Amino acid sequence: MDLPLTVPDLADATELSCDVLVIGGGTAGTMAALTAAERGANVLLLEKAHVRHSGALAMGMDGVNNAVVPGRAEPDDYVAEITRANDGLVDQSTVRQTATRGFGMVQRLESYGVKFEKDEHGEYAVRQVHRSGSYVLPMPEGKDVKKVLYRQLRRREMRERIRIENRVMPVRVLTHPEDGRAVGAAAFHTRTGEFVVVRAGAVVLATGPCGRLGLPASGYLYGTYENPTNAGDGYAMAYHAGAALTGIECFQINPLIKDYNGPACAYVANPFGGYQVNRHGERFVESDYWSGQMMAEFAAELASDRAPVYLKLSHLPEETVGAVESILHTTERPTRGTFHENRGHDYRTHDIEMHISEIGLCGGHSASGVRVDSHARTTVPRLYAAGDLASVPHNYMIGAFVFGDLAGADASQYSAYEGELDQAQLAAAHELVYRPLRHPEGPPQPQVEFKLRRFVNDYVAPPKTGAKLSLAVEAFDRMTREIAGMGARTAHELMRCAEVSFIRDCAEMAARASLARTESRWGLYHERLDHPERDDEGWLHHLDLRKSPSGAMEFTARPVEPYLVPVPGFAPPGGAERHLGEVELVPVATAGPRQAPPAARPRADAPAPAAVPEGAAPEGGAGAIGAAGGAAPHPRLLALLSLVEDSPGLDALGPYLDDPDPAVRAAAVTALGETAPTGTGPVLAGRLRDESPLVRAAAAAALRELVEVLPAGPDLAAGLREALAVPDAAVRSAALEVLRALRLGDAALYGGALADPTVDVRVQAVRALVSVDAVAELGVAAADPDREVRVAVARGLAAVRDPAPEPLRPLLDDADPLVRGAALAALAGTGCPPEYAGRAGSALADPAWQVRSGAATALRAAAAGPAVPVLAKALADVNADVRKAAVLSLLVHRADPGARSALAGASADPDADVRAYAARAAR
């Protein structure tokens, strides 16, 4: 329980020292700390919560949005894509770091135990979500990423170099009074209220985005799209340290689930066949990449009579819907399933209504952040920024890891600062933290924050105007006094009050930067009604802001650096920087001249009324170890939880693994998965045979999570083979999956599992047979009574090392249309010789659209002569997915004049996807 506090004396501050200070224990901060320590630096990691479950990553991650995997994508193509998505306004040298280093980072994370989806042969299963490239890499166990990283931080060799201070919140970066370099930070403990001063050789800011800027439709302060603990701390600290910030006028706005404020997860659903539609079922998104332009199209559709907008899943078969549910209801938001269930909605019968989020600042998902170079250096010497805080457009999770690594590597060259700290800076930070204690009866933080963020919604959110933005600046100036008058009694309340000051700083930056850029750019992210056109001649420049020596916010228009990868349609003008100074506000004191008569104006279409939210769904996640429900935890569980902090070995965990209470054994298995000491694999395999289903489930989950880091030894292989005889089907399925991934089985073993009574086990057996290219055994599985198994066989026959069409013959005559469709689509991978091309052409008349789509896909591997005429006719199909498949196949044959003619006609198709792909023929 928090106790009332008194203001501590500045002279009583606790002082810490380190070579590299990392502020923020999330994605980028964890990687920065690990890299700096690996290079010999003494690291101090400060986290205002607890590193084990802090940051946006702790909520889970369903996939990587920007994996440039060799053979599937090229770095230059990715750099060009991000340049187009950001309307040409990028520093390509920073984006290229993510493009070229991202794959190495995927492999590094995998060595830690992060699991990325792979095919049967162990190759990364990269999916195409955007029309222009394959960059999305799913993460089946993405809910556990933070746990894996925490395990790395707590390795014994890392603990010697990395000191973690949880519940310590920095509020200001300390700089040298003469040369301005970063020399530490001022902070306080969010439980005790203790003031903390840190000396450092270098400082890495990794505090995440400003997700708590706009107010969600629910009115709930913490019901934000982004992690609500990200209140813009780093943006404010960088600004007050003198660093330049850039792109702050480029907001983050996302599509989300209506009334739930969680992501709709199109990145997950699209590779499974889901897509965004209006109420007529029409795809409408023209943009190639998730960008401000896409959000502008989304907003326009919502404001039209074609609204509402949905993520469409109800057309998918049961097996696919189940797979989507297993991801969406366990990773991004564990409460998502409950939300839909309470409404009586099911993906099989109800598509997901979508809406638009509140605004925020985020480099990782748009472009706004602290200006950094290609080594994560800010404009303040020895101050670094990484992750969503840094302005590296559309950087996402892999980019956060890459720039955390870059920051840690560069910062590790510096040693702890030993000089005098600026007392004026310390006094100002001390006052910022503790002033709410001086008037505890002042307005509470929730009231002040609600008012502040309502002003953000009213005056700053797009579409923007100079008048509204000027009103916003005036409001935020007034609120400086109100924020200074907030009251608090506990350390936790002090933390929340400090966060409000950060939000206010970010709000002012967003308003003033939006005023300064007198054009519209990035679609909905910066739509100015009073400057509706994009102005590349005058504004293909970065807009940097910084705090002047006088304390004012001033701006500079900085030319875009020459591109490393040319992008048609964009030509940075170069030239010198333009110093703009302070932004001029639009007069808004009165509504026109006092004596003038009312002026008539043309009638404008009124905007659609805002929807009234039904309420916010609760958010949260599952804990790693603990008692279920509200019961008091078992004493042995508490002892185990304490033990895990010290990364125990098998000898210490042994008594808990053999405890008579299954809840304790299950918790011990989970702890084993978190710490992964030597010998973990065989022990987990042994627990697959535990008498308790709770323990078996924990062991199966841990094995799946650790599959990339477990040594593939004979003891583990023996334990997994024995598990194939366990009556629990979930255990048998997990054992097959791990055996396949570790290459510990053969065709005979996997073929025996085809007789298993459970469908999921047989599907895993099919995948395992593909991994050893067992075509004959797959032929046996082609007669399986279950459709899901036969579909898996069809896809698997196209995935073996030496695919051929002949084994697909029985599946092409299958009674089930989904199986026939999958078999036809597989011909695109096996080859489609004349006999099969003829069958595919005939199948374009099948009553089932899935069969017609598969047939159109098959013809991309056929000769152009027989394929092009029937594909051209398929462009008149009533189903948009069939027409899309036909266009994609015609693109393969676009050297044929008939294909080019057909694609030209498809450019007017009513479906946005069909139009967009057809337009690629002209490139």
Side-chain angles (χ1 to χ4, degrees):
M1 177 180 178
D2 291 321
L3 299 175
L5 296 177
T6 57
V7 179
D9 195 295
L10 178 56
D12 295 332
T14 297
E15 187 167 309
L16 304 174
S17 180
C18 60
D19 298 329
V20 177
L21 169 62
V22 179
I23 298 176
T27 310
T30 300
M31 189 58 67
L34 288 169
T35 297
E38 288 169 359
R39 292 183 176 238
N42 290 317
V43 179
L44 174 62
L45 176 57
L46 298 185
E47 168 57 53
K48 67 182 180 182
H50 192 292
V51 172
R52 171 182 264 175
H53 45 69
S54 65
L57 199 61
M59 302 171 74
M61 188 64 61
D62 51 50
V64 174
N65 297 344
N66 54 346
V68 183
V69 175
R72 299 299 305 274
E74 294 297 325
D76 284 2
D77 292 339
Y78 177 76
V79 171
E81 191 60 41
I82 297 302
T83 302
R84 284 189 290 268
N86 211 50
D87 281 356
L89 219 166
V90 299
D91 179 352
Q92 286 192 347
S93 68
T94 61
V95 176
R96 204 167 199 284
Q97 289 283 49
T98 299
T100 57
R101 292 171 175 264
F103 180 61
M105 184 56 65
V106 166
Q107 293 178 308
R108 178 175 175 179
L109 292 169
E110 197 170 55
S111 74
Y112 291 166
V114 176
K115 188 176 179 182
F116 299 95
E117 185 172 333
K118 294 184 177 180
D119 64 18
E120 291 82 359
H121 296 288
E123 302 294 332
Y124 294 99
V126 183
R127 308 286 182 85
Q128 182 168 356
V129 173
H130 312 294
R131 300 186 186 113
S132 54
S134 299
Y135 306 117
V136 176
L137 180 56
M139 298 170 66
E141 307 295 329
K143 65 183 183 301
D144 296 321
V145 177
K146 191 61 190 294
K147 182 170 69 174
V148 173
L149 291 172
Y150 187 67
R151 183 169 67 231
Q152 290 300 312
L153 286 172
R154 302 306 294 161
R155 283 165 39 212
R156 284 182 170 80
E157 57 269 35
M158 287 293 101
R159 280 188 287 171
E160 294 174 359
R161 288 285 186 183
I162 302 173
R163 175 177 177 178
I164 298 175
E165 289 291 338
N166 293 307
R167 312 293 181 189
V168 175
M169 178 183 183
V171 296
R172 288 291 185 263
V173 171
L174 301 175
T175 58
H176 195 283
E178 295 177 3
D179 59 22
R181 73 181 188 272
V183 295
F188 72 102
H189 197 287
T190 63
R191 289 295 180 267
T192 66
E194 169 189 14
F195 195 61
V196 179
V197 176
V198 181
R199 297 171 177 273
V203 179
V204 179
L205 290 173
T207 57
C210 183
R212 226 162 78 218
L213 185 61
L215 190 68
S218 66
Y220 175 45
L221 295 179
Y222 307 105
T224 52
Y225 178 92
E226 285 288 352
N227 184 343
T229 65
N230 297 138
D233 309 33
Y235 288 78
M237 283 189 278
Y239 173 73
H240 289 291
L245 292 91
T246 193
I248 304 301
E249 69 280 18
C250 179
F251 300 160
Q252 176 191 15
I253 307 171
N254 295 286
L256 44 71
I257 302 172
K258 178 79 165 58
D259 299 329
Y260 178 74
N261 228 36
C265 294
Y267 276 105
V268 174
N270 285 10
F272 284 95
Y275 46 82
Q276 297 75 44
V277 297
N278 58 30
R279 69 182 177 90
H280 302 299
E282 302 162 336
R283 281 183 286 226
F284 59 88
V285 174
E286 304 281 355
S287 298
D288 268 4
Y289 203 85
W290 209 267
S291 62
Q293 181 56 40
M294 182 178 286
M295 289 309 305
E297 296 171 11
F298 199 97
E301 204 74 5
L302 275 178
S304 75
D305 65 351
R306 299 177 298 278
V309 168
Y310 298 91
L311 177 62
K312 185 167 184 59
L313 298 174
S314 57
H315 66 296
L316 299 174
E318 167 61 32
E319 300 92 328
T320 305
V321 173
V324 172
E325 279 181 335
S326 70
I327 298 172
L328 295 187
H329 294 181
T330 60
T331 301
E332 282 279 3
R333 297 288 196 278
T335 56
R336 179 175 180 148
T338 305
F339 171 79
H340 292 308
E341 181 181 355
N342 287 344
R343 288 197 161 191
H345 288 181
D346 187 295
Y347 297 159
R348 297 153 187 81
T349 56
H350 292 74
D351 296 315
I352 303 168
E353 187 179 355
M354 300 170 70
H355 214 265
I356 288 181
S357 73
E358 70 285 348
I359 67 170
L361 302 178
C362 180
H365 293 83
S366 60
S368 54
V370 180
R371 175 182 164 186
V372 295
D373 66 9
S374 57
H375 295 280
R377 305 174 188 128
T378 73
T379 57
V380 170
R382 304 195 187 187
L383 179 64
Y384 300 80
D388 286 340
L389 168 70
S391 180
V392 184
H394 298 276
N395 215 19
Y396 302 112
M397 182 188 79
I398 287 297
F401 279 129
V402 166
F403 272 81
D405 177 53
L406 290 167
D410 204 73
S412 65
Q413 65 186 293
Y414 300 111
S415 300
Y417 176 68
E418 297 179 354
E420 290 294 320
L421 295 173
D422 188 300
Q423 291 302 305
Q425 293 181 40
L426 289 173
H430 188 272
E431 176 62 17
L432 170 66
V433 172
Y434 298 110
R435 65 190 178 192
L437 295 179
R438 305 187 198 282
H439 33 76
E441 301 299 329
Q445 163 263 333
Q447 291 183 13
V448 177
E449 182 176 335
F450 184 90
K451 179 178 180 180
L452 169 65
R453 292 167 64 189
R454 277 307 304 259
F455 282 140
V456 170
N457 280 18
D458 292 344
Y459 297 136
V460 185
K464 310 172 188 179
T465 69
K468 289 200 298 183
L469 293 167
S470 298
L471 284 170
V473 171
E474 291 184 358
F476 302 148
D477 282 344
R478 286 196 313 271
M479 290 210 67
T480 302
R481 297 186 295 275
E482 295 183 40
I483 290 170
M486 283 188 297
R489 289 181 170 84
T490 68
H492 181 80
E493 290 173 349
L494 289 179
M495 176 182 72
R496 293 300 186 213
C497 288
E499 287 176 339
V500 176
S501 74
F502 299 150
I503 296 169
R504 195 221 69 86
D505 288 344
C506 290
E508 182 182 356
M509 286 189 268
R512 289 186 183 272
S514 296
L515 264 173
R517 182 175 288 278
T518 52
E519 63 155 358
S520 288
R521 187 174 291 269
W522 306 296
L524 188 64
Y525 295 168
H526 180 66
E527 181 186 359
R528 284 282 300 261
L529 295 179
D530 46 353
H531 296 282
E533 301 299 323
R534 196 177 84 190
D535 177 13
D536 281 351
E537 183 176 346
W539 274 113
L540 191 55
H541 286 70
H542 301 283
L543 181 65
D544 292 354
L545 69 84
R546 56 170 47 85
K547 188 177 183 180
S548 71
S550 66
M553 192 178 294
E554 59 182 20
F555 293 86
T556 300
R558 174 169 51 92
V560 174
E561 292 292 324
Y563 288 161
L564 303 173
V565 179
V567 179
F570 298 102
E577 292 187 355
R578 301 198 313 268
H579 181 68
L580 306 177
E582 297 181 46
V583 68
E584 183 177 349
L585 303 186
V586 175
V588 289
T590 61
R594 190 179 297 272
Q595 302 302 325
R601 63 178 177 85
R603 178 177 176 80
D605 291 331
V612 179
E614 294 182 18
E619 299 187 19
I625 304 172
H634 192 294
R636 298 276 286 164
L637 286 177
L638 295 177
L640 175 60
L641 187 61
S642 176
L643 181 66
V644 170
E645 288 294 322
D646 295 323
S647 301
L650 283 176
D651 54 343
L653 288 172
Y656 298 95
L657 290 165
D658 294 326
D659 195 277
D661 188 330
V664 175
R665 297 200 304 277
V669 167
T670 301
L672 190 60
E674 289 191 17
T675 55
T678 302
T680 291
V683 173
L684 289 176
R687 287 298 155 187
L688 290 175
R689 304 191 300 277
D690 194 280
E691 63 182 19
S692 167
L694 185 67
V695 179
R696 297 195 301 270
L703 281 166
R704 283 188 164 114
E705 178 191 337
L706 297 174
V707 68
E708 304 294 345
V709 296
L710 292 175
D715 291 343
L716 176 57
L720 292 170
R721 286 171 178 261
E722 290 177 23
L724 292 177
V726 171
D728 188 335
V731 166
R732 301 195 301 276
S733 178
L736 278 171
E737 182 178 343
V738 178
L739 283 165
R740 172 183 59 80
L742 295 178
R743 300 291 188 266
L744 291 173
D746 54 28
L749 178 70
Y750 300 146
L754 290 175
D756 195 280
T758 302
V759 171
D760 184 60
V761 177
R762 302 201 300 276
V763 170
Q764 287 294 345
V766 168
R767 294 199 68 200
L769 288 167
V770 173
S771 73
V772 294
D773 301 308
V775 175
E777 287 79 1
L778 288 170
V780 172
D784 192 278
D786 189 88
R787 175 178 74 187
E788 187 176 357
V789 177
R790 302 199 303 278
V791 168
V793 170
R795 293 169 177 165
L797 286 170
V800 296
R801 296 289 186 190
D802 188 18
E806 185 61 27
L808 288 166
R809 186 181 294 274
L811 296 171
L812 292 170
D813 296 321
D814 198 278
D816 191 291
L818 291 185
V819 178
R820 297 200 305 277
L824 284 162
L827 289 171
T830 65
C832 190
E835 176 192 352
Y836 293 90
R839 297 193 63 170
S842 300
L844 284 171
D846 195 281
W849 71 265
Q850 296 94 336
V851 175
R852 302 198 305 275
S853 177
T857 300
L859 290 169
R860 74 182 60 172
V868 169
V870 291
L871 286 171
K873 291 181 181 178
L875 292 178
D877 197 281
V878 295
N879 185 278
D881 280 332
V882 177
R883 301 198 302 276
K884 178 180 173 181
V887 163
L888 289 171
S889 292
L890 285 166
L891 282 172
V892 174
H893 299 299
R894 61 178 171 269
D896 184 280
R900 291 198 300 274
S901 175
L903 288 167
S907 62
D909 193 276
D911 184 83
D913 266 8
V914 176
R915 293 195 302 272
Y917 281 115
R920 292 191 172 277
R923 295 190 180 180

